[in-house]
Amino acid sequence: GDIWWKFYGPKLKATPKVQKLADKILKHLPKNINNRDKKAAALLYQWVATNIHYVAIYTNASSDYTPNSPDVILEHGYGDCKDFSTLLIVLLKAANINAYPVAIDWSSQFNQYPLPNPASFNHAIVYIPKWKMFLNPTNSMAPFNTLDTYLAGKFALIIKPNSEVRFTPANNPKNNNLNYRSRLTLLKTGELKGHEINVYTGTISEIPRGELN
């Protein structure tokens, strides 16, 4: 993790271009509302997840470990998971919210390797220490503060000076569900007439988001 930080650290600076964008995204968010920082983080997360396109271009061996600079990502409008995470981190920094990149495995592999090694990780996400919150801005279908099944309960390497390891939160059924609410009327003709409301929460909400996208 400390070695990875040498690749990431120089790129995690809020440039004037980044600051201008962060101010624009948050300009309608009142200064004195409750939980403003968390609401600001949600807006910044949503912007990155929906405005940057996933395109991975590797030109040399270090490309696997080194993100592009934030200004380059914004200029191109695309990047890989490292770039998504880098851009979100610097936007958060521009809003005075500290965050770090995280190396993690995004797959159906849940058995842990005996010792961490580069093969343990194939994806980059974001960690916000003040809320112990993990975010995956690469997944445009995932709501804020929600990790999909293949990232939940996973070994995560937080990349920073004196890097640390944590596990992402496991999925909780109470936070991931689908509720149906129907109101039906049986007519004299024998027909049913009415409407239904479906409420998706947590990772389940990715289904309608994907269908409506």
Side-chain angles (χ1 to χ4, degrees), residues 44 50 73 89 106 109-110 140 153 161-162 171 188:
L44 296 170
T50 56
I73 300 166
I89 289 167
W106 194 9
Q109 170 67 31
F110 285 90
S140 62
N162 300 315
N171 271 338
K188 292 180 179 180

Side-chain angles (χ1 to χ4, degrees), residues 17-147:
K17 189 173 183 178
V18 168
Q19 186 67 60
K20 183 178 179 180
L21 175 59
D23 292 343
K24 180 180 178 181
I25 295 170
L26 302 178
K27 68 179 180 179
H28 296 302
L29 187 65
K31 299 288 186 182
N32 57 351
I33 59 173
N34 292 332
N35 296 318
R36 186 183 190 277
D37 280 358
K38 190 168 286 188
K39 291 175 182 177
L43 288 172
L44 296 170
Y45 165 83
Q46 194 63 35
W47 191 94
V48 173
T50 56
N51 286 275
I52 302 299
H53 302 284
Y54 185 89
V55 178
I57 299 176
Y58 304 125
T59 57
N60 53 57
S62 67
S63 296
D64 279 343
Y65 306 99
T66 308
N68 287 298
S69 68
D71 286 357
V72 168
I73 300 166
L74 289 173
E75 180 182 352
H76 291 166
Y78 63 77
D80 66 3
C81 59
K82 300 186 301 297
D83 297 327
F84 275 78
S85 298
T86 294
L87 182 56
L88 178 55
I89 289 167
V90 295
L91 284 169
L92 290 167
K93 284 182 179 294
N96 297 312
I97 301 169
N98 194 34
Y100 294 107
V102 176
I104 196 169
D105 175 70
W106 194 9
S107 75
S108 57
Q109 170 67 31
F110 285 90
N111 292 329
Q112 301 302 318
Y113 290 92
L115 291 173
N117 64 78
S120 305
F121 312 107
N122 63 9
H123 190 51
I125 59 175
V126 173
Y127 179 67
I128 303 178
K130 67 187 296 184
W131 303 310
K132 295 186 168 92
M133 180 188 295
F134 292 90
L135 301 172
N136 181 24
T138 307
N139 184 358
S140 62
M141 299 297 111
F144 178 71
N145 195 20
T146 300
L147 296 178

